Amino acid sequence: GFISCGTDHTIRIWTHQGDVYASGDEEYKNTSIIKTDSCCNGVDCSSTGIIAVTLCGSENDVLTRTGTIQLFIYRSGAFVLGLKDTNHPIFKLRFSPNGQFLCCLTQVDTVDPEDPFGPTKIENMMLVYENNASKVYTLKGKIKLPFSGECLPHDLDFSLNSRYVRCSFLEGRDFSLYDLEQSDFGKDYTEIIFQDYDNDNIPEEVTLLKSIEWSSNFVPFRWDTKFSY
């Protein structure tokens, strides 16, 4: 089955009915509806049974609800908690394969630390939430993404072991790849990936990264890597 969300303030769970028609079409039935308190524009479900949905706001609450994430329990539809660390739209959110991380692509307002009263700057950012010992998702950190401005972050993939995440951007730019391990959190491997090097003297980090198996294939890339279904 699959999950959808929409501007009618609902998350809908669809279940496969088992029929495949001669045309190749398959039938799914809406078997459960979860109500949210605002319009939704993105949803994902973890392997541990948690649904995350991004709110985009409606006519009366767009300013206050935009950038909000709400978590629900898949089986019961019960509300778990809300997260809000940006006032900008969230372009994409995904859970890691093991459910430990929830990553969101968005933008945030930043201030120059040397000029705290100066104008704010909008920067592309990845928000990384982690399922802690209390089984509650909290903000682990923010990873600053390149191409701030009109080149927006677009989609992301996790490695099969949930340690690495890669992000693509609109306008056909190459992806960026980051480490989520505690000791190397936010480490950017992009320059290492695309640097020129002699094939007889390949950096150890490049060899490591080429061995990564990915749990999904949403990010277009032009690099020797593996994809595992």
Side-chain angles (χ1 to χ4, degrees), residues 130-198:
E130 186 172 19
N131 194 343
N132 59 31
S134 301
K135 305 299 182 183
V136 175
Y137 284 91
T138 55
L139 184 67
K140 178 182 179 70
K142 301 178 181 180
I143 298 176
K144 182 179 177 181
L145 303 174
F147 314 129
S148 292
E150 296 182 358
C151 187
L152 303 177
H154 178 60
D155 215 330
L156 55 84
D157 294 312
F158 279 97
S159 62
L160 203 59
N161 64 3
S162 299
R163 174 171 178 171
Y164 302 98
V165 62
R166 64 186 180 193
C167 169
S168 65
F169 302 86
L170 293 176
E171 301 179 8
R173 294 185 183 271
D174 291 314
F175 69 88
S176 293
L177 191 151
Y178 303 95
D179 197 331
L180 299 182
E181 189 77 6
Q182 184 66 38
S183 59
D184 291 318
F185 178 78
K187 183 175 181 178
D188 186 352
Y189 290 97
T190 308
E191 291 186 7
I192 299 173
I193 294 172
F194 295 115
Q195 71 181 359
D196 292 327
Y197 52 80
D198 187 337

Side-chain angles (χ1 to χ4, degrees), residues 110-121:
T110 60
V111 177
D112 185 346
E114 297 183 358
D115 185 14
F117 300 103
T120 59
K121 179 182 179 182

Side-chain angles (χ1 to χ4, degrees), residues 14-25:
W14 301 80
T15 304
H16 188 251
Q17 297 303 292
D19 296 324
V20 179
Y21 301 102
S23 63
D25 294 337

Side-chain angles (χ1 to χ4, degrees), residues 29-86:
K29 182 179 180 180
N30 182 198
T31 54
S32 181
I33 297 176
I34 300 172
K35 295 290 292 184
T36 67
D37 60 7
S38 189
C39 297
C40 315
N41 65 345
V43 66
D44 195 24
C45 184
S46 74
S47 60
T48 57
I50 298 296
I51 295 174
V53 64
T54 60
L55 305 185
C56 56
S58 53
E59 182 178 354
N60 297 324
D61 63 1
V62 63
L63 295 179
T64 58
R65 307 305 282 155
T66 296
T68 299
I69 301 168
Q70 291 186 339
L71 303 182
F72 298 85
I73 296 175
Y74 175 86
R75 291 190 178 277
S76 66
F79 175 76
V80 179
L81 80 160
L83 304 167
K84 186 172 176 62
D85 291 281
T86 179

